[in-house]
């Protein structure tokens, strides 16, 4: 099985309104409200990461972190930096931001997911398992956790798929299975 | 509208491995029933479902079908499947398979028959151990 790793990204589009850029909303009875991204570099960084432009995404996310105006934005930036550095395969830096995020929010399942990926990539499988279990406890059924879990399983308990096409009668097949 | 609560799109960038690539190490075996007069011509093997492989799901699906005189498959239906994830690949593989056409005047003992697809995951040796062990 191929060992190439790519990214599956769920973007943290930090507190922004719907859509790209500023949007004008009007009501029939009230004045116009103009809304827009509160942290454009953070949003652009997330988009860049989503597009696979890791270096650019990390650079913009650092800018976004500098001007973060809320705890939520800061946490978004930390999470995205962790993921971004994983994409760059700079696991030390990635770990730094995952740890920072977990210090602020010990129940952040995405941080556990990302850190588990770091542990898998650095072959620290016992630690990866711990983070996966914690993440699964916090967010049962999360798709990204399932993918990370599969990555762990493929590393620790690899399997080869086998397909058997059996044309024998069902009774005969059952007899053989016993 | 003033005071309208604006929906905020929030999700966190989460890194994960790519979904498993199409397996390159898939093994295929065909057990032919030699006790009957039907002879497979083209046997299409299903792909191991990606999600099933990811979640380590094994199982089987039995498809029953009719073979016409030209060896083509008709009315393929799932008779049983241990997990619904195997239904579609089994049906698709069955419908893409054929049997040898009958010769002039030849008649099959029974044209309705079944084929079982077994999906297995065989453990293989892990490449390396844990670095923190």
């Amino acid at each position: 099985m191929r060992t190439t790793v790519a990214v599956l990204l769920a973007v943290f589009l930090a507190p922004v309104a719907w859509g790209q850029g500023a949007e004008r909303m009007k009501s029939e009875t009230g004045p116009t409200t103009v809304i827009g991204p509160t942290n454009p570099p953070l949003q652009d960084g997330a988009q860049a990461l989503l597009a696979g432009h890791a270096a650019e995404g990390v650079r913009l996310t650092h800018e976004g972190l500098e001007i973060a105006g809320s705890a939520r934005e800061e946490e978004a930036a930390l999470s995205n930096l962790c993921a971004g550095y994983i994409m760059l395969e700079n696991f030390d830096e990635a770990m730094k931001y995952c740890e920072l995020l977990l210090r602020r929010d010990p129940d952040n399942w995405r941080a556990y997911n990302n850190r588990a990926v770091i542990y898998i990539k650095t072959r620290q499988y016992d630690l990866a398992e711990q983070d996966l279990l914690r993440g699964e406890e916090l967010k049962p059924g999360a798709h990204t956790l399932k993918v990370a879990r599969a990555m762990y399983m493929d590393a620790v308990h690899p399997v080869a798929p086998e397909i058997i096409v059996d044309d024998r009668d069902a009774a005969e097949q059952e007899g053989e299975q016993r | 509208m003033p005071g309208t609560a604006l929906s905020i799109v929030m999700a966190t960038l989460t890194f994960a491995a790519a979904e498993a690539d199409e397996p390159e190490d898939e093994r295929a075996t065909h057990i032919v029933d030699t006790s009957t007069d039907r002879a497979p011509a083209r046997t299409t093997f299903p792909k191991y479902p990606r999600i099933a492989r990811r979640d380590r799901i094994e199982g089987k699906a039995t498809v029953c079908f009719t073979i016409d005189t030209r060896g083509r498959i008709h009315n393929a239906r799932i008779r049983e499947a241990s997990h619904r994830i195997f239904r579609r690949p089994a049906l698709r593989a069955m419908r893409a398979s054929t049997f040898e056409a009958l010769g002039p005047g030849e008649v099959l003992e029974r044209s309705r028959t079944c084929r079982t697809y077994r999906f297995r995951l065989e453990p293989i040796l892990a490449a390396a151990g844990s670095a923190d062990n």
Side-chain angles (χ1 to χ4, degrees):
Chain A
M1 183 167 151
R2 260 179 253 163
T3 53
T4 51
V5 174
V7 283
L8 178 71
L9 304 165
V11 185
F12 192 134
L13 295 175
V16 290
W18 290 108
Q20 302 286 322
E23 235 175 279
R24 187 173 289 265
M25 296 184 70
K26 278 187 177 176
S27 82
E28 290 174 4
T29 54
T32 300
T33 303
V34 177
I35 55 172
T38 59
N39 192 329
L42 184 57
Q43 187 190 25
D44 293 346
Q47 297 290 1
L49 291 169
L50 266 175
H53 307 307
E56 178 69 355
V58 164
R59 186 186 66 76
L60 287 166
T61 306
H62 273 296
E63 279 182 28
L65 181 59
E66 289 292 314
I67 62 164
S70 68
R72 214 172 180 191
E73 283 186 6
E74 286 173 8
E75 286 170 14
L78 294 175
S79 183
N80 292 0
L81 284 170
C82 177
Y85 279 115
I86 294 174
M87 291 169 72
L88 291 170
E89 303 205 338
N90 184 340
F91 301 122
D92 289 338
E93 280 298 297
M95 180 62 81
K96 187 172 93 184
Y97 289 104
C98 263
E99 298 275 4
L100 279 171
L101 179 57
L102 281 169
R103 236 172 276 156
R104 296 173 64 117
D105 178 10
D107 290 335
N108 190 310
W109 69 269
R110 293 182 179 93
Y112 287 107
N113 178 91
N114 289 351
R115 196 170 69 174
V117 172
I118 297 171
Y119 286 139
I120 293 166
K121 297 296 290 177
T122 54
R123 296 183 177 184
Q124 300 180 78
Y125 299 126
D126 294 342
L127 295 172
E129 170 73 343
Q130 285 174 29
D131 275 4
L132 286 171
L133 288 172
R134 182 73 180 122
E136 287 159 356
E137 187 183 312
L138 290 165
K139 186 73 174 177
H143 175 73
T144 44
L145 278 163
K146 284 185 179 178
V147 178
R149 166 66 69 184
M151 191 182 177
Y152 167 83
M153 291 295 286
D154 282 344
V156 179
H157 306 291
V159 289
E162 181 177 16
I163 307 282
I164 299 168
V165 175
D166 196 339
D167 282 343
R168 295 168 301 169
D169 280 346
E172 199 181 331
Q173 292 173 18
E174 292 304 317
E176 181 138 313
Q177 291 293 302
R178 278 185 211 119
Chain B
M1 181 187 301
T4 300
L6 296 170
S7 300
I8 292 172
V9 182
M10 292 290 286
T12 302
L13 197 63
T14 310
F15 187 92
E19 293 281 8
D21 295 321
E22 286 299 319
E24 294 169 339
D25 49 358
E26 208 159 281
R27 287 188 290 172
T29 307
H30 188 181
I31 302 172
V32 179
D33 183 358
T34 53
S35 66
T36 69
D37 52 4
R38 65 201 177 107
R42 182 181 68 224
T43 301
T44 301
F45 288 83
K47 286 273 182 201
Y48 207 104
R50 190 166 43 84
I51 302 291
R53 177 178 171 152
R54 185 194 74 185
D55 293 347
R56 298 295 196 269
I57 301 169
E58 296 180 290
K60 66 176 182 176
T62 299
V63 184
C64 293
F65 52 95
T66 304
I67 310 167
D68 70 13
T69 54
R70 294 168 67 181
R72 294 175 307 191
I73 304 299
H74 295 278
N75 302 318
R77 300 277 185 275
I78 294 287
R79 189 177 72 180
E80 62 168 328
S82 61
H83 192 292
R84 63 193 302 274
I85 203 166
F86 298 122
R87 295 172 68 95
R88 185 177 289 179
L91 268 178
R92 289 176 72 169
M94 191 66 255
R95 288 174 177 150
S97 299
T98 60
F99 284 76
E100 294 292 348
L102 294 182
E106 251 186 301
V107 179
L108 285 175
E109 262 180 39
R110 48 187 183 140
S111 62
R112 185 85 184 158
T113 187
C114 302
R115 169 176 282 178
T116 297
Y117 294 94
R118 301 182 191 284
F119 298 82
R120 289 182 180 164
L121 293 169
E122 296 295 324
I124 54 175
L125 200 60
S130 173
D132 62 332
N133 282 342

